[in-house]
Amino acid sequence: MKLTLADLEAAAELVYTQMQATPQYAWPQLAAETGAEVWIKHENHTPTGSFKARGAITFIDWVKRTYPEAKGICTATRGNHGQGQARQAVAAGLTAKVYVPHGNSVEKNAAMRAFGAEVIEFGEDFDTAREEAFRVAEAEGLVIVPPFHPEIVRGVATYAYELLSAVPDLDVIYVPVGCGSGICGNILARDALGVKTKIVGVVSERADCVKQSVEAGRLIETESSATFADGMAVRVPVAEAFEIYSKGAARIISVSDEEVAEAIRIYYRDIHNLAEGAGAAPLAGLLKEKDQMRGKKVGVILCGGNIDTEWFLTVLGGGVPEV
């Protein structure tokens, strides 16, 4: 998959019919923490509190054009993807059936229902819920929304287009990796704009199928994905995404739940922004590599701020949420 500058401009024009561009700020407080010039891309400021809103706009637009007879969509999520897809599907006159694993975020489930989704709990993790969503979509004649799709990536890439257009001389961007739309959007936007920025993917030590796959040069599934950074809680890597990030990313690094929790505390203490686990993982990655990033200009994707209250209180109290 490749994107041209014209592709990015067209995607951005469509995205901006439904939401505004998000800001990117260089925060001196985070420079003091890391020794780098740190530019935060505030995807926690979208209409759903995460970057997933963008891909939903382009995907549902594609569904309406490609399947004009469609009655509804079906998908699986840990929450942010589902919020975005429900928001756009319902606005387009479609139903939205969303599968989540048992024990999923209570507040993300509530948000999806508020956006009009029918939320069904199934299985013990995202990948099991995803399999059921595919089965139900086929059985009921619904349009399946996969976790990774060119039309989703095209929309997601618009945040990297904004960031790299505003700050084209970034040395590095740290981005979290779950199924891969975010990191691939950064790589494709970087290449389309012709800048030299390196892209570093960040995964959880407890959900590191992407890191293992890149290091092995082949897809590797893990046995569990038990991290409170639920946006990265994936056991099964996506082949189409692997083809892009295995070639286009500088490296994939892992961070612990303890390091993610500390990054959440830093975001709140230093710049008074909420970050969920996956949203804080890129900052945790930068902090882990701060010695080699000292003096560089670094982009950090705050991809979402949808953290449950109880988890946030645990983190603020110095703890790590149990899953």
Side-chain angles (χ1 to χ4, degrees), residues 168-188:
D169 58 343
L170 288 174
D171 294 299
V172 179
I173 292 175
Y174 286 87
V175 58
V177 191
C179 289
S181 65
I183 189 171
C184 292
N186 276 270
I187 290 167
L188 295 171

Side-chain angles (χ1 to χ4, degrees), residues 3 10 87 89 94 100 113 122 137-138 146 154 172 187 223 231 249 254 265 291 305:
L3 291 174
R87 176 179 183 260
L94 303 172
V100 302
R113 293 188 178 101
F122 184 92
E138 183 174 1
R154 190 168 70 93
V172 179
I187 290 167
E223 293 184 1
S254 62
R265 288 188 284 270
D291 288 344

Side-chain angles (χ1 to χ4, degrees), residues 89-294:
V90 171
L94 303 172
T95 61
K97 183 169 287 191
V98 179
Y99 282 81
V100 302
H102 290 292
N104 197 56
S105 161
V106 173
E107 292 173 23
K108 286 181 178 177
N109 287 354
M112 286 185 282
R113 293 188 178 101
F115 282 115
E118 177 189 356
V119 178
I120 305 104
E121 293 190 18
F122 184 92
E124 298 308 313
D125 59 24
F126 164 77
D127 293 286
T128 307
R130 175 181 53 81
E131 292 173 0
E132 179 67 2
F134 271 73
R135 186 193 69 77
V136 169
E138 183 174 1
E140 298 185 3
L142 301 171
V143 176
I144 188 65
V145 188
F148 188 91
H149 187 280
E151 286 298 322
I152 291 176
V153 176
R154 190 168 70 93
V156 168
T158 60
Y159 83 65
Y161 168 65
E162 292 167 8
L163 175 59
L164 287 169
S165 295
V167 197
D169 58 343
L170 288 174
D171 294 299
V172 179
I173 292 175
Y174 286 87
V175 58
V177 191
C179 289
S181 65
I183 189 171
C184 292
N186 276 270
I187 290 167
L188 295 171
R190 184 266 316 270
D191 293 350
L193 288 165
V195 296
K196 303 299 184 182
T197 307
K198 294 180 180 179
I199 310 298
V200 176
V202 183
V203 301
S204 169
E205 288 180 353
R206 305 180 72 180
D208 65 346
C209 64
V210 166
K211 184 173 185 287
Q212 289 193 39
S213 296
V214 169
E215 290 173 352
R218 59 183 176 85
L219 299 181
I220 294 180
E221 298 182 14
T222 56
E223 293 184 1
S224 68
S225 55
T227 171
F228 88 95
D230 52 1
M232 304 189 297
V234 176
R235 283 190 297 106
V236 183
V238 177
E240 298 92 334
F242 175 81
E243 287 301 310
I244 298 172
Y245 61 65
S246 63
K247 300 178 179 70
R251 58 189 174 278
I252 307 293
I253 65 173
S254 62
V255 293
S256 68
D257 276 12
E258 290 77 12
E259 289 168 328
V260 169
E262 177 60 16
I264 292 173
R265 288 188 284 270
I266 290 171
Y267 266 129
Y268 189 71
R269 181 187 70 224
D270 286 7
I271 66 172
H272 299 104
N273 270 249
L274 285 180
E276 60 186 277
L283 179 59
L286 169 57
L287 289 164
K288 194 166 190 172
E289 297 192 337
K290 67 180 182 179
D291 288 344
Q292 66 195 81
M293 290 296 112
R294 194 171 304 278

